[in-house]
Amino acid sequence: MSHRCLSHLEAVARAATVRNLAYALDVDLTTGDELFRTVTTVRFTADPGAETFLEARPERLLGATLNGVELPAEAFAEGRLRLADLAADNTVVVSAEYAYTRSSEGMHRFVDPADKQVYVYAQPSITDAPRFMACFDQPDLKAPVALSVTADPSWLVRANAEGVQNPPGRWEFPATKPVATYLITLVAGPYVEVTDSHDGIPLGLYARASYAEVLERDAPEILSLTKAFLDRYHELFGVRYPFGKYDQAFVPEFSWGAMEFPGCVVFRDELLFRAAVTDTERLERAAIIAHEMAHMWFGDLVTMRWWDDLWLNESFATYMGYRLVAEVTPWPQAWTRFGVGRKAWGYAADQRPSTHPIAPTEVADTDAAFANFDGISYAKGCSALRQLVAFIGDEAFLNGLRAHFDKHAWGNATLADLLGALSLASGRDLDAWAQAWLRTAQVNTLRPVIEWAPDGSYASVTVEQTAAEQYPTLRPHRIGLGWFDEHGAWQRTEIEVTGALTPVPQLSGVRGRGLLLNDGDLTFAKVRLDERTRAELPALLAAQPDPLSRSLWWNSAWDAVRDAEWPATELVELAAAALPAEPDVTIVESVFGLARYAATRFVPVDGQAAARAALAGAAKTLLATAEPGSGHQLAAARTLISTAAEDDRAVLRGWLTGADVPAGLAVDAELRWAILGRLAVLGDVAEEEIDAELQRDTSDKGEQEAVRVRASRPDPAAKERAFDLVVTEQGQSNRIAVAAGAGLWQPEHAELTAPFVARFFAELPRSEGRSGDMLAHLSKAAYPSYAVSEDTLAAARVALAGDMHPLLRRALADETDDLARALRAQQAA
C-alpha cells in the first residue's frame, strides 16, 4: 500500500507527545503462504486531548481500537492510523494481515529450493517495521517489546529476548529493554543451531537446514571471534554486553551485509562460506561480526535521536570493527584491507553530486536517511574517527566513550552529547574539529611539492592541500610522511597539515625516494605522488616492507586514474607487473578488482581487450607460482576466469572436467559458476549445460547463478529475459533480479545490448510495486555502466530530469556521475 515517509518535523512533534511507551506484539505465522497476522498492543501516556499517529502498512486492517473504542475507517490512510483526543493513559490495539516479501523488507519468507523448507525473518530496516506491526517508527521513541509468536511446532523461533515454547508452536518472549523499532526482529523456521557460552553470555549460531554442514565447519572460527570481540569490547568500553544472550543468525536473501538486532544479530548467509575463500573474505567476515557487535553499544544501548546522527552508529561500528580485527584476530592487516577496499568506496561516494557531511545538520525525512547509508557514513566516518583518535589520543577517546555510555544508556544521544564527553575527557574543544570534519562535505587532496638539490636530496618539501571548488573547506590533518632513506630503510615522521601550504623543514637535506603522504593512513584525503615516485613505483612497491604503505600507493594511483590524471592503462600495467609478487592477498584481491574495473570502463574500448589480457597474464603468472591451496592461488584463478579471452576457453573447459587443474585449487560450485559465466560471455555455453549445472547445485545460490549465466549469453532472447526480470517482473526474489542485472551488461556485448540502454532509463524509474530502496538497489546492479558514451550520458540525464522516487534518483545520479568519470578517463587517454 502507498504510504508517506516520516519527516523530521513530524518525528519531533510525535516524540513530544508520546511518553512511557511499551509494545506487545503477537505474530501468527500459520495463516498461509502469502499473508501473516499480527496484533499490536501499544501503551503510552500523553497530555489529554493531544493527537498523534501510528504507522502500519498491512494488506488488510482487521480492526483498531483506541482505549476500547473502535477507530473509524477514515482514521487509516497512507500507512498512518490517526489517534485523536488522547487520554492521559492510552492503549491502542491493532489487528491486521500483512504480506510476506521476497525483498528482505518487513517479514521476508523464503522457500529453500534445496529441500523446500520455509524460513521467515523480520527486517524492519529503518522504515519497514510497519510492514509487520503498528508502531511509532522513529529511533527516539524506544520502548520495551514483549513478543509472542505462533509458528509451525517443528520450527525454531528466535528474537531479541530469550524465548520459551509452551505449548509446541507457541513462543513467548519477555519484554526487552527499551529498543527502537528498527531493532525489532524474529527469526523462524527449521533452523539448525550451534550453541556455546562465554563469560556468562549464552551464544547461538543459526542457519537453514541445508547449510548444516557449512555451519558446523565455520562455527569454531565464528565463535572464537565472537568471544575475543566480547572480551575486547568489555575491556575498551567498561560496560558489559547489555542484552543477555548473543545469537547470530545467518538468513537467506538478506539485502544488507548484516543487521545489529540486539540479542539476535542477523547476517546474510553468504557469510557462511559454501566454497573455498581467501583470507580477505575471512577478514571481512570478522570485521562484519565485530561491526555488528559494536552496535550493541553504538546504536542499541545508546541510540541516535534522529537519522542525522547515523554516523554515531555506522562510523563508530566500522572503526571498531576493523580496529578489533587488527588487534585480536589472525588478520593484523585489517587496516590495509580497509585502506585499499572500503576506503575507496568512501572516496568515491564523497566526490559524487550526492555527497553530504558525515553528520549533516538536517536529514529532512526517512527517504533522505535511507540514502545516507553509503560510503560517507561508513568509510569516511570511520576515517574521521581515526583522525580524531590521532588528534586527542586513544586514552581520552575511550574515556569519553565510557562516559557517554554511562550517561545515555537505554536512551538517545546526539553529536553534541558525544562531542561533549570527548571534549571533557581530552581537555580539548572539539567544535572546530567537528565543523571541519563532520559538518562539511567532499574530500581534500594532498600533494608533495618538492624542490630537489643538485646532490639528489630534498632541498625543500611542502604539503599542498586543495579542495573541490564547490566545497572549499581545508581541514586539519595529522598525517605520517614516509620515505626510503639512502640506505634503503623506510623512515616515517608525523606532521600537522593546516591550510593550503605546510612546509616540512625536517626533510630539507634528506636524501630520500618514494615520498608518501599519509603514511599510516591516519586521515581521509586523496594523496598524489611526485613525478619521481610515480616513475619508480614498480620498484618502490617491490621494496616496500609495509603492506599498508603499499596499499596507499595503490590508492593514490587509483584516485589519479579516476580523476583522469593518469591513463587507466598505467594502472593496469602496474597491476600486471606488481601483483604476481605481492605477498599480501588482501592487496592482490583488492587491486585486481580495481584494475579489472579500470580495464572495462576507464580504458578506451579499443584497448580493453589488451588490458584484460594483461591482467589475465598476471593471473597466470601468479597461478603458476602460488602455494597450492592458498588465497593467492584462488585470487589468481578468479582473476583469470573473469578476464579470460577466446584463447583461454580450453583451460576453463578443462577445469570444469577436472583436467589440468592446478594442484590445490578446488573447482567447487562457486568456481564452476564463475567459469560458466565467463564462457557464457564468450558465447560458449548452451541452455542444457546451465540446466545440468543447476542439477549439481540445487541451492538458491545455484538458481541465482543460473539466472546470471543465462543473462550473460550473447543472445537477444537471453538479454530480453534478463531485462524483464530487472525492470518488469514483480514478486521474485531480490537476488534473482540483481543476478539478472549482473549478467545483462557485458563489455563484449555492447552492440547487442545497445537497444536496452535507452529502455533502461525510460522504464526502470516507472517500475511499480517496488520500494524506493529496492529500486535504488536494482538501478545500481543493472546500470549500463559498460556503455560509456555521450549518448548513454544524455539518456541518463533525460531520465534524471523526470519524476521518480528520491532514492532511485540518488542511485541513478551517483551511477551517472561514475559514467561521466569513465567517459572523461577514456577521452583523456
Side-chain angles (χ1 to χ4, degrees), residues 179-200:
V179 297
T181 46
Y182 77 91
L183 296 172
I184 300 168
T185 195
L186 66 86
V187 173
Y191 283 89
V192 293
E193 65 179 337
V194 174
T195 60
D196 201 347
S197 65
H198 180 68
D199 194 18

Side-chain angles (χ1 to χ4, degrees), residues 664-683:
L665 181 67
V667 185
D668 48 34
E670 182 177 298
L671 221 56
R672 290 183 65 85
W673 282 117
I675 291 169
L676 285 175
R678 187 60 189 166
L679 291 173
V681 172
L682 298 174

Side-chain angles (χ1 to χ4, degrees), residues 41 400 433 541-542 582 599 614 636 670 746 754 784 797:
T41 303
W433 178 89
L541 287 165
E582 170 55 55
E670 182 177 298
Q746 303 293 336
R797 287 170 175 165

Side-chain angles (χ1 to χ4, degrees), residues 537-551:
L537 202 48
L540 293 170
L541 287 165
Q544 175 57 258
D546 181 13
L548 181 55
S549 298
R550 294 196 301 274
S551 75

Side-chain angles (χ1 to χ4, degrees), residues 233 236-240 294-303 312 316 320 397-411 413 417-418 421:
Y233 280 133
L236 293 175
F237 294 160
V239 177
R240 278 185 59 81
H295 276 308
M296 300 300 116
W297 290 265
F298 291 107
D300 296 4
L301 177 65
V302 180
T303 308
L312 290 173
F316 275 88
M320 297 307 304
F397 177 70
L398 293 172
N399 285 338
L401 296 187
R402 292 169 189 146
H404 182 70
F405 294 144
D406 184 61
K407 183 175 181 179
H408 299 287
W410 306 115
D417 294 324
L418 181 64

Side-chain angles (χ1 to χ4, degrees), residues 779-818:
S779 73
K780 294 176 183 178
Y783 193 92
S785 55
Y786 297 132
V788 180
S789 71
E790 295 286 1
D791 287 345
T792 307
L793 201 57
R797 287 170 175 165
V798 168
L800 286 166
D803 292 331
M804 64 181 71
H805 194 285
L807 291 178
L808 175 60
R809 182 181 305 282
R810 160 76 179 265
L812 284 177
D814 285 351
E815 295 300 318
T816 300
D817 186 64
D818 286 352

